[in-house]
Amino acid sequence: MKKQKQPKHSGSIAWNLLICGPIVQGDVKTKAGDKYIFSKSNFNCCDTIAQNVRQWGHLFKKIILVTWTDQEEYISHELKSLGIEILLLNDPGRESSFSNDSRVRVMTATTGGIEAIGKPYEHVMRIRSDQQFNLNSMITSHQKAASLIKKNQENINAKLPHISGLCFWLDRPYSLCNFAHAGSCSDLHFFADAQIRYRHASSLKAAGWPEGDTVRKHLLALAPRLKQHGYTEKQCFPALPKSIMEGDEAASLRNIPKDTLRLWEFSLKHLYSSCSPKALETLVWKGEKYPNPKDFHNGMRFYKDWKRCANGDPSAIFNYSHSKFSRSNFHLLKDITWVLHGKPEQVQGLNLSKKSLLKRHIQDFLLTKTNSRKSIS
């Protein structure tokens, strides 16, 4: 096996890379209408892995491919010749997750890979075996964010982990894109272990969406440390749907308790950061170009908006006036005032699903009738 090249990335931080997942993709879980189905896939990840190693390998001190024991026969001679380490683990299977998906498998590979690195104070990036993107952009974004996160933590006398994801969402609080994660080895190991430890915990009906619980489980594991900052275990799992704007379970903004998002605002300031859009703009998934993030209507937000949040301007989360939603097919709902722990935030151009709008009209009608009866009595 060839010796890996020493990293050329500027700065004194040592970065390692974990490439996690199967070599040959078997059944893939996809959504069809309101249900999830398994469709056959024989995509071989060897070329994708090799391209990541050839293009970005100089950034990393160590590269480990973490896959399952039953995948060993599919590892190509080319991969073996690239000088990367190969770690074979027992596959915990989809049944390890309450929703029968791969969320626990991903985190099992992550913890196993970090333990193989054996350097808790070095840094690590965890990516999927079937994806490739600009890995340098993630390193750069994480290191830029780290100084701001550190300053914010020092201001409140806290020592908390710092985890980066590719993006967060405007309409999906308490979630961070799970295509890739970055952080110190100790921080990311704690993050991944929390997913395994609390694998049966869920606050969402959208069981097929792993990001919906990932941050919540991490916060739950951090609850003893968050207590001194005024947060409880209950607040780590707020009662919110997948999206606060679209779908049958979309929440009425007036019915969300004003403190529901306070911990999410705290988290974006002290624990989590997102990358520049360059990562997703260059992402190739199973050999196909990923859609441009600008074409999505789910309010993806990247480093620039994260930085505003971290600097104490939460309007990056709550200001929908220039979002893609204003050009969707839903009826506009204007001039809504969101009260965020005492501070009114004006939100315009927000659209809810038709069902949610109807629910709100019914709630307002019943509330009006109740108030009129009280005034009469």
Side-chain angles (χ1 to χ4, degrees), residues 80-96:
K80 293 177 181 178
S81 70
L82 290 175
I84 64 175
E85 293 187 22
I86 298 172
L87 176 62
L88 301 174
L89 300 176
N90 293 323
D91 185 356
R94 292 181 181 274
E95 60 275 11
S96 60

Side-chain angles (χ1 to χ4, degrees), residues 4-18 51-63 122-125 127 133-141 143:
Q4 291 179 195
K5 296 179 181 179
Q6 289 298 309
K8 298 179 182 178
H9 195 273
S10 60
S12 58
I13 297 176
W15 280 90
N16 301 278
L17 179 65
L18 298 180
Q51 288 182 50
N52 273 323
V53 174
R54 285 195 296 266
Q55 187 170 6
W56 306 111
H58 64 281
L59 301 176
F60 301 100
K61 178 180 178 181
K62 180 180 288 188
I63 300 174
E122 292 185 354
H123 279 62
V124 62
M125 183 190 304
I127 65 174
F133 61 90
N134 187 329
L135 304 188
N136 186 55
S137 68
M138 190 167 198
I139 290 177
T140 301
S141 295
Q143 293 186 175

